[in-house]
Structures are given as C-alpha cells and as structure tokens.
Amino acid sequence: IIETENTVASQRSIGQLLLDSRKVNAAASSLFFALKGPRRDGHQFIPELYRKGVRSFVVSEAVDTGSFPEADFLQVYDTLVALQSLTAYHRQQFNIPVIGITGSNGKTIVKEWLYQLLSDEYNIVRSPKSYNSQIGVPLSVWPLNAQHTLGIFEAGISEQGEMRRLGRIIQPTIGVLTNIGDAHSDGFIDEEHKFREKLILFRGSKVVIGRDSDFRERKGILDMLGEDIQLKTWGYDEGNEFRVLNIDRNNDETSIELEFDHLTERFLIPFSDDASVENAITCYCVLKELAVAPVNIAARMRKLHPVNMRLELKKGINQCTVINDSYSADTNSLEIALNFLEQQSLGLKKTVILSDLLHSSLPDEELYGQVMEKLLKHKVNRIIGIGEKISLYLSFLIAEHDEKLETAFYLSSAEFTDSFLSSQFKEEAILVKGARTFEFEKIVQLLEQKAHQTLLEINLSAIAHNLKEYQKQLKPSTKVMAMVKAFAYGSGGAEIAGILQYHKVDYLGVAYADEGVELRKAGIQLPIMVMNPDETSFEKIIEHHLEPELYSFALLTSFDKFLRQEGLTQYPVHIEIETGMNRLGFGVHEMEELSATLSGISTFTLRSVFSHLAASEEAANDSFTLQQYDLFEKAAKELEQGTGLSFFRHIANSAAAIRHPQMQLDMVRLGIGLYGVDSSNANKLGLQTVATLKSTISQVKHIKAGESVSYNRRAVVARDSVIATVRIGYADGYPRRLGNGIGKVWVKGKMVPVIGTVCMDMFMVDVTDLPGIEEGAEVIIFGKQLPVQQLAEWATTIPYEIMTGISQRVKRVYYEE
C-alpha cells in the first residue's frame, strides 16, 4: 500500500529511477528509492539529494516533510519490493519478445553476443554489463520503451526465493539456461535445489533453450512451470532439437556443424575455447527460434567479438590517466563510464572521446540530447566526437546552448589518428568510449604510456567487493579505516584511495606524510591518519590537513609547540598505546601522565586512541592477543577518565576483525584483506583477488641435454628441453630466491617451474612438457590462478613483501568490472 506524505502530491514526470546519491543525473525527473542495507540506509541521503534537486522519494520510514517542502514522499513497507513492483508493472505494458537468461556461467556473454547477432533485426534493450541482481534487474528493465522490439535481460541469484521476484520483473517469452556449474552455490541446499530455483525465471515462457547435459534426467522439472512451455535442448545425441554433429578447432577458429529440423547447418566462430563454443551454440539456438536466416547466422557468427566486461584505467602520456571502454557505446554504459571517470579524475581536467551511438531505438535528436545532458552533468571539460551523427548533433547542441566545452569532431577514427598530436593531451583524465566498429583500441594505444610487457592489473571492483565482505562482518556502528600505506601495498595509492572514498570508508591510513600529500594532490578528501610522523613533516601535515599519530611525549610536545607557533587549536591527533608490539606507542603505565599532559593542551583534539596487535592472525597466539586487548581497554578507559575526552578506539586489523569480533570497537583498520589476502585463514570471507602480476614470453629456445641455463650454470638440463624467457626479473620485484626450481608460474593453464638463476630483468621457465608455447604468450606471476600467498610461501616471506616489492617501473592497469 502506497500512501502520500504530502496532502496534495505534485504532478511529476518520472524518467529515471535513482538508488545512489552519487549518481544524480536528471534530478527533476528522478525517483529515489531509499533502500536499506546492512550498513547504510538510503533515508540518510535524502537531505543531500534534496539539495541536488531531487523531489520524488519512495521511503519506508516516516520523514519530516517540513524540511523538504517541495518534495513528494511515497511511504511503503519495503522500498526494494516497491522498486521491483514498479518495474514489473512497467514491463507488463509492452508486448514484445523478451529473452530471459540465467545460469551459473556465460549469462553476460550470451546476452552480449545475442545483442551483436540480432541488432540488425531488432531495436534491443538489454541489461547493461552484468546487471542481474535484485537491484540490477529492475534498473535494466526500466529503460524499456515503445521503440524497443526485443528485450534481453539476465538474472542471477544467490539464494532461495530471489528468482521468483526477478521472474515477475523480466517476464521472459524465451528462456535461456546457460552452463550450470558450481558458481554461486552457497545459498542452496544442493545443485538440484539451485537448478530448480533458476528455472523459476521461465515460468510463463513459451520456450526454454539449454544444454541437454543440464536438462538430462531433469526434463520433468519444467512441469512445475506450466504445461505450455516447450523445452528445446542442444547436445550430441539424437533426441535433441539441435544436434551437434561436429566441432572442428583450428588455431583461434572453430567450425561448428549442427542438425536442426532435419537440415544440416555450419558456421564459424573466431574462438576456440570450450566456453565460447558452448555460448555460440546457445546463441545459434536462440537465433533459430527467432527465425533468423542461416546465411545471416553464418555471416554474423564469424564476426563475433570478445565481450570485455571491464573499464580499464591506465597511465597515459604526459601525466594523463586513460580509461579504456572502447568496446560499446550506448546511453546506459555511457553513464557507468562517466561515473567511473568522475570517480578517478580527482581534480584533473576531464576529456571524453566518444563515437556515434549505434543501434539505439531513440530518435537521433533525443539520443544525442541525452548524451549532452550526461556530459554536462559530469562536468566534462572537453568532448572529442568521432562519427557523422555525433559530430552533427553535438556540435549543434553545444552551439545552441552556448556551452563552454572544448570540442573537436572527426568523421572517422582514421581521421583522428592521422591528425593526432601527443602535445594536445596533458595532465587530464581521458575516457575513450566507442562502438567496436570504430576500432578505438588504436586510439588507446596512442594515448597510453609505453612500457614493457610486464604489468600489474588491479581489479577495483574486487576492492569494493572485499570491503563489503568485511563490512558484513562488522557491527553497523563500527567505522572502517582503510590502510593505503606503501603505495597501497603496491597497488597504487591514489587509485585505490579513490575507489575507497567512492565507497565511503571513514578513514585512510598512511605510513608517512608524503603519502598523504600525494593523496591530497590526487583529490582525496577523506580524513587521513599519518602513522609515522616526524618533526620535519609537521608543515606538510598542517598544509594538507593530515592527522598525525603521536606515540611519545617528545613528539607530542614538539607538535604542540609547532601548533602554538602556527596559532592553531583543536587540531585532530591520534594516540598510540604500546601493548606488546614493542614498536611505537605510549606505555600503559604512562596513562596518568599522558592524561595530565593532554588535559593541559588546547592545541589538540583527540580523534582516536589505538594499539597494534602483534599476532592476531595466529591461533597459537590468541592468549597473547587477548592480553593485548585487555591492556588496551584498560589504558583507553584510564585515558578517557583522566582527560574527560571522548574518542574512537581501534585495535583490530583485518585478521582480528574476523577472528576476534569483540575487538571491532569503534573502528577497524583493514589492510591486506582489502587486497584479497585473508591473513586470518578464517575462511569466512569470499574475498576476491585484486592484483594480478603478469608478463609475456620474449623468446623460446630449444636446448640439448647437458646445457645450462642462466648465470652461474646452476641449472643443467638432463634432457632435451624447451626454455622460455619471461620479461620480468628481480628489478621488477620478482624475488631472486625463487630461481632454480623453487618458484613456478602459470602458462596456458598449467604450472611450470623457474629454471636457473633469476636475472635482473628476466628469468627462464622450463616449458618442455607444455607444447605449443610461442613468443608473446601470457605468463601469470601471481593472481587468481596462482595466489600471491603461494608465491610468498615459496619465497619464505609474506604476501606484504611480495606486493609492496613490485617495482614502480611495472605498469599498473586499473579496471572496474
């Protein structure tokens, strides 16, 4: 039941559904749903949104409407249910074919490939990226309008009951089940339970398409969805509607031959991996259901291109930052990319290189009007348009509205590259976004900083995921300090701090003032604690509004004197108490003296009191950890009583926050855990790998038995061998002690050993048992396939040392999935 808070509601036209206060586009036509999460409540952002011009709100709590006199409020029992109900009603207004896709693997690939394959026949609305959740699906369906002739939406679930709600929103006429694997199984009793839950999406569909291997022995399950559903499977045996006759792989191509309706058809795809073959066959089945001509299927399958699911952030020429999204161009993904640009620009000038938007159902004037609104909303400084339509419409709109945008327009990518001057791009953030046909990857190559082929890939989405996984384990009142010292554990301070600021952590922690200064210069506004200040850094600390840790009376007195000279009072500081690390901090026995000293000082305001745990990740040291905690609690209480001050208390690091939840207190300090390394070994967190260090093979050699490899002839082969040289050495951060068979790397799906001594700029691996290795092949040093923990174990060290030891000459590439 929806009740209006205002006596007379205004007549407002709602065009956009808004869930995130950071993503306000057209405020006047936005409807904000105040969703509640485990740590944040959307109701707390209503004042901010009202200031930004939003006037329509759906809430589940009573609101003081007097504070928002121009706003309308709809009060409902559950704002998420209201969001889903609204979009389900919206979907019912359109009688067009809708493809609903679910499964464990391949949903997004199949969706994007169907979009590529069907765009000539249909005006398509589809899920942007992998928007397939309880929130993502409503946002995907809402843009459906009268111009669309086909919808393609994917749905993902993690527990029982979720698919029933998504099915009511999507209402597919054609159901597609992709590969059912073991992904996302935790929320279900068993695989059979997960399978039944996923099939609920297809209730009311006319036809369901899937692999015979998934439906074999399960075909009766569809009876629960209704008698009129027709199941069409593909497989290798007779009895399948689509029978696979032959699959012939040749290098990077695959020829697929199928039988359908007693006719044999053949097509070629530019991929050879198993997943791509399966996904292509699934797409073929859908195209046959939609009666696409065989000749068109064959022509389009051959032109399928990879689906890139990430936005890449790279170092560019002349101190630029380059965001590579040169794979698609539509209004939904443009908004996502512009949000990422804003998140990562942090004070830099913003440039957007954008192609024509293809396959849109909107009239061109309206389409490019929306593009213009988005560019202005995100305060883009320069637009470079490439293509006939964007050049025509944006140049007209900019002139008509007298906008002060810097502009340049080109009819083709070739025209742009022919006239390219590197001097035209300097100290700016550049978003490169275009439909694949424009080949914008060539533009990215011109703009990115050249480096050797070793790079460290940083998954910013994984950082955000890991933060949320920790937050799930924290009390709602517990704040988070994210540690970004040592160049964010080698991952890049400003870039990591930017994503953490976007996701609203409470504090950042750095080791030295210079690290904090760099973050401020990059536009980071969060409070930053400096954990190892000295007298020479006081001026920088004050100038850049950093907050020092004070760990001794000498440092405290010195900083007090400096503040008095500067005429400053109530400057925020943090006090460290020594409880057993024996590194820095006031002794527990010094609390009475410290209380008296602080009580007599007006230059400070005490922001927090904390201590360091020495071995919180080790069960064998739990008694010592508890002893440290008890000492800290006693000292903090004595300090509170002695000064009459209130302050945050924090002692828990990543491991203690999980292994000792009673130690969460007012704030926890998350470090290595954010980067995907679970030092607690508690197995409670589904942490994702953040950093992947990779290189390439520069040369492959065939050597005879008895020959040696690398310096000092430490490695002599006992058989004829194939040796590959990898473009990374100890100067890049690969430990020299991993030579001579101790270390291994991941090549073409297998682990191969390092052979011989690690050199400064390269090392060698034995690939004798791995046929077909060629120069340029990718080598994973550490990542998802080969965890950094394993590398550290081989090197008899810890992941911290490996990650922070990656040289700055190794190019960092940041991406968001």
Side-chain angles (χ1 to χ4, degrees):
I1 298 173
I2 297 179
E3 300 174 356
T4 58
E5 285 290 322
N6 292 353
T7 305
V8 180
S10 304
Q11 296 297 313
R12 303 190 193 277
S13 175
I14 300 301
Q16 298 194 27
L17 306 185
L18 182 62
L19 309 180
D20 191 328
S21 62
R22 298 164 296 188
K23 299 179 180 179
V24 179
N25 186 2
S29 62
S30 292
L31 176 61
F32 177 72
F33 287 78
L35 302 181
K36 289 187 176 183
R39 293 184 59 81
R40 286 196 168 81
D41 185 342
H43 295 81
Q44 72 187 75
F45 299 105
I46 291 174
E48 174 188 341
L49 288 161
Y50 188 80
R51 288 193 297 271
K52 291 180 177 179
V54 178
R55 294 295 182 264
S56 303
F57 300 88
V58 178
V59 298
S60 59
E61 296 178 355
V63 175
D64 178 13
T65 56
S67 302
F68 313 101
E70 298 176 4
D72 297 320
F73 292 89
L74 304 178
Q75 185 171 347
V76 300
Y77 176 74
D78 186 315
T79 48
L80 177 57
V81 172
L83 170 68
Q84 295 172 337
S85 299
L86 173 62
T87 49
Y89 174 79
H90 178 68
R91 161 68 182 91
Q92 289 174 352
Q93 310 313 304
F94 303 95
N95 183 25
I96 62 171
V98 169
I99 301 170
I101 306 171
T102 191
S104 299
N105 303 296
K107 297 186 294 294
T108 302
I109 301 296
V110 168
K111 179 201 69 188
E112 292 298 319
W113 278 1
L114 286 174
Y115 176 77
Q116 294 178 35
L117 294 163
L118 292 167
S119 290
D120 287 347
E121 277 91 2
Y122 297 93
N123 284 328
I124 301 174
V125 58
R126 73 193 194 281
S127 310
K129 300 291 184 180
S130 54
Y131 275 34
N132 58 31
S133 67
Q134 298 293 301
I135 294 174
V137 168
L139 293 180
S140 300
V141 171
W142 179 253
L144 178 61
N145 62 48
Q147 281 74 44
H148 292 123
T149 57
L150 176 67
I152 311 176
F153 305 112
E154 59 175 293
I157 58 173
S158 57
E159 60 185 43
Q160 181 175 339
E162 290 184 329
M163 192 61 86
R164 193 175 304 276
R165 284 175 276 172
L166 299 187
R168 283 198 290 259
I169 300 170
I170 296 175
Q171 302 164 40
T173 59
I174 299 174
V176 175
L177 184 70
T178 63
N179 184 303
I180 287 286
D182 57 5
H184 315 296
S185 296
D186 292 346
F188 305 98
I189 299 170
D190 53 27
E191 290 301 307
E192 195 69 16
H193 182 211
K194 181 174 74 171
F195 183 82
R196 287 176 174 269
E197 286 293 315
K198 286 184 178 293
L199 255 62
I200 291 173
L201 173 65
F202 305 140
R203 182 168 287 156
S205 299
K206 297 176 181 177
V207 63
V208 173
I209 293 168
R211 300 188 309 170
D212 173 59
S213 55
D214 288 325
F215 281 98
R216 194 179 301 137
E217 310 299 332
R218 290 168 162 169
K219 294 185 179 180
I221 292 178
L222 282 179
D223 293 343
M224 71 178 185
L225 304 180
E227 298 178 355
D228 298 330
I229 295 179
Q230 185 179 7
L231 174 62
K232 294 186 178 181
T233 58
W234 67 264
Y236 297 85
D237 302 327
E238 293 184 4
N240 289 291
E241 282 72 16
F242 304 93
R243 185 184 175 196
V244 180
L245 300 178
N246 186 49
I247 294 176
D248 183 20
R249 292 176 171 85
N250 181 21
N251 294 327
D252 293 328
E253 291 185 336
T254 303
S255 174
I256 302 172
E257 186 177 18
L258 299 102
E259 181 183 61
F260 171 68
D261 200 18
H262 305 294
L263 296 174
T264 299
E265 296 181 8
R266 184 182 293 105
F267 59 88
L268 192 73
I269 62 171
F271 307 96
S272 59
D273 60 288
D274 291 341
S276 293
V277 170
E278 284 196 359
N279 293 333
I281 294 173
T282 299
C283 290
Y284 166 85
C285 299
V286 175
L287 266 59
K288 296 303 293 184
E289 179 63 27
L290 292 171
V292 178
V295 64
N296 291 336
I297 294 176
R300 296 171 195 174
M301 283 286 187
R302 192 158 196 161
K303 295 179 181 178
L304 280 176
H305 54 73
V307 176
N308 192 297
M309 293 304 299
R310 66 195 207 180
L311 292 162
E312 290 183 335
L313 181 68
K314 302 182 177 185
K315 296 293 184 184
I317 57 175
N318 304 327
Q319 289 76 55
C320 289
T321 293
V322 179
I323 298 172
N324 179 17
D325 193 17
S326 57
Y327 309 100
S328 64
D330 56 75
T331 53
N332 282 341
S333 63
L334 176 61
E335 181 66 26
I336 293 171
L338 287 171
N339 280 324
F340 189 62
L341 172 66
E342 192 161 335
Q343 173 188 311
Q344 290 297 332
S345 57
L346 299 175
L348 294 174
K349 172 184 173 181
K350 286 179 281 194
T351 293
V352 173
I353 302 176
L354 183 64
S355 78
D356 283 352
L357 275 64
L358 307 178
H359 307 303
S360 173
S361 61
L362 296 175
D364 288 338
E365 187 173 348
E366 183 179 349
L367 173 66
Y368 289 101
Q370 289 186 9
V371 170
M372 189 70 195
E373 287 180 8
K374 294 178 186 296
L375 295 171
L376 294 177
K377 181 208 97 172
H378 288 278
K379 297 181 173 60
V380 170
N381 305 100
R382 175 165 58 156
I383 174 69
I384 297 174
I386 298 179
E388 293 182 7
K389 290 186 177 180
I390 196 169
S391 299
L392 172 65
Y393 285 96
L394 280 197
S395 59
F396 172 76
L397 288 168
I398 291 168
E400 182 182 44
H401 295 91
D402 194 29
E403 298 294 348
K404 304 304 181 189
L405 274 171
E406 293 181 48
T407 61
F409 295 103
Y410 303 87
L411 295 180
S412 67
S413 300
E415 186 179 333
F416 171 84
T417 56
D418 287 345
S419 62
F420 177 80
L421 293 174
S422 61
S423 59
Q424 294 175 337
F425 299 90
K426 184 178 181 181
E427 296 179 351
E428 55 193 291
I430 308 166
L431 169 63
V432 183
K433 182 166 183 60
R436 182 170 289 271
T437 187
F438 283 87
E439 298 181 328
F440 270 18
E441 59 269 18
K442 295 177 181 177
I443 295 176
V444 173
Q445 290 171 6
L446 291 174
L447 292 169
E448 68 177 313
Q449 188 180 69
K450 302 302 181 288
H452 66 74
Q453 296 183 51
T454 296
L455 56 90
L456 185 67
E457 289 187 341
I458 310 298
N459 185 343
L460 298 176
S461 298
I463 287 274
H465 168 86
N466 295 341
L467 172 63
K468 291 174 183 176
E469 288 301 305
Y470 274 101
Q471 288 176 328
K472 290 177 185 177
Q473 306 295 325
L474 302 180
K475 299 189 296 288
S477 60
T478 300
K479 298 180 182 296
V480 171
M481 176 184 288
M483 306 307 298
V484 291
K485 59 184 181 177
F487 196 56
Y489 297 81
S491 297
E495 292 83 1
I496 299 299
I499 194 75
L500 292 169
Q501 177 172 268
Y502 184 78
H503 287 283
K504 299 185 182 297
V505 300
D506 303 284
Y507 256 91
L508 296 176
V510 298
Y512 296 100
D514 285 344
E515 295 175 320
V517 170
E518 289 304 309
L519 296 182
R520 289 286 185 245
K521 288 180 178 178
I524 300 299
Q525 299 174 344
L526 287 171
I528 300 174
M529 181 173 79
V530 179
M531 306 192 75
N532 197 11
D534 57 47
E535 291 187 32
T536 63
S537 66
F538 288 168
E539 190 169 335
K540 291 180 182 177
I541 286 172
I542 299 301
E543 180 183 354
H544 296 281
H545 308 290
L546 309 175
E547 301 178 12
E549 164 198 333
L550 303 180
Y551 52 80
S552 69
F553 284 108
L555 185 63
L556 186 153
T557 301
S558 181
F559 192 54
D560 171 47
K561 179 181 178 181
F562 179 82
L563 291 175
R564 282 190 278 109
Q565 289 174 347
E566 297 294 316
L568 297 173
T569 61
Q570 299 298 301
Y571 197 88
V573 299
H574 303 260
I575 295 293
E576 180 175 359
I577 298 173
E578 173 56 65
T579 59
M581 175 74 87
N582 288 319
R583 187 173 63 177
L584 294 175
F586 290 94
V588 172
H589 63 282
E590 296 178 307
M591 290 304 100
E592 183 176 350
E593 182 184 356
L594 179 59
S595 296
T597 302
L598 289 173
S599 297
I601 292 178
S602 62
T603 54
F604 298 159
T605 179
L606 186 53
R607 189 60 55 85
S608 83
V609 173
F610 71 99
S611 187
H612 269 92
L613 296 171
S616 62
E617 67 276 8
E618 299 173 2
N621 283 300
D622 279 353
S623 59
F624 185 79
T625 299
L626 292 171
Q627 178 183 320
Q628 281 194 271
Y629 176 68
D630 290 341
L631 286 172
F632 173 68
E633 283 280 74
K634 178 182 176 183
K637 185 174 182 181
E638 187 176 343
L639 195 61
E640 184 179 32
Q641 292 174 343
T643 62
L645 301 173
S646 60
F647 43 77
F648 297 140
R649 298 171 303 150
H650 50 106
I651 191 172
N653 55 10
S654 299
I658 305 304
R659 297 193 68 247
H660 304 285
Q662 75 276 20
M663 299 184 189
Q664 292 177 4
L665 301 177
D666 301 309
M667 186 158 64
V668 298
R669 301 188 302 273
L670 300 182
I672 197 73
L674 288 177
Y675 305 92
V677 179
D678 184 5
S679 58
S680 71
N681 295 315
N683 295 321
K684 289 185 177 181
L685 302 172
L687 299 182
Q688 294 180 357
T689 300
V690 169
T692 299
L693 179 61
K694 59 173 60 173
S695 188
T696 58
I697 290 173
S698 57
Q699 190 173 31
V700 178
K701 287 184 178 294
H702 296 262
I703 65 174
K704 298 293 184 181
E707 293 190 61
S708 62
V709 178
S710 196
Y711 290 118
N712 308 121
R713 303 193 72 237
R714 298 268 169 79
V716 178
V717 299
R719 58 174 178 167
D720 291 355
S721 301
V722 182
I723 306 300
T725 302
V726 183
R727 292 181 170 98
I728 179 174
Y730 60 77
D732 302 295
Y734 190 77
R736 194 171 185 270
R737 53 189 175 275
L738 290 180
N740 300 301
I742 296 174
K744 296 179 177 65
V745 297
W746 186 267
V747 183
K748 293 251 181 180
K750 291 187 178 180
M751 210 89 77
V752 297
V754 177
I755 183 170
T757 303
V758 174
C759 308
M760 182 181 289
D761 307 301
M762 63 197 79
F763 63 80
M764 281 63 75
V765 292
D766 188 340
V767 294
T768 308
D769 299 321
L770 197 60
I773 295 299
E774 298 176 348
E775 295 175 5
E778 183 177 84
V779 178
I780 303 297
I781 312 301
F782 65 74
K784 183 177 181 180
Q785 304 91 335
L786 177 53
V788 68
Q789 296 96 310
Q790 178 63 73
L791 202 70
E793 183 179 325
W794 288 332
T796 64
T797 184
I798 57 177
Y800 296 82
E801 183 179 354
I802 298 293
M803 293 179 67
T804 58
I806 304 303
S807 166
Q808 290 304 299
R809 78 176 186 176
V810 173
K811 182 170 69 172
R812 270 70 172 171
V813 174
Y814 304 87
Y815 66 93
E816 187 171 82
E817 292 182 327

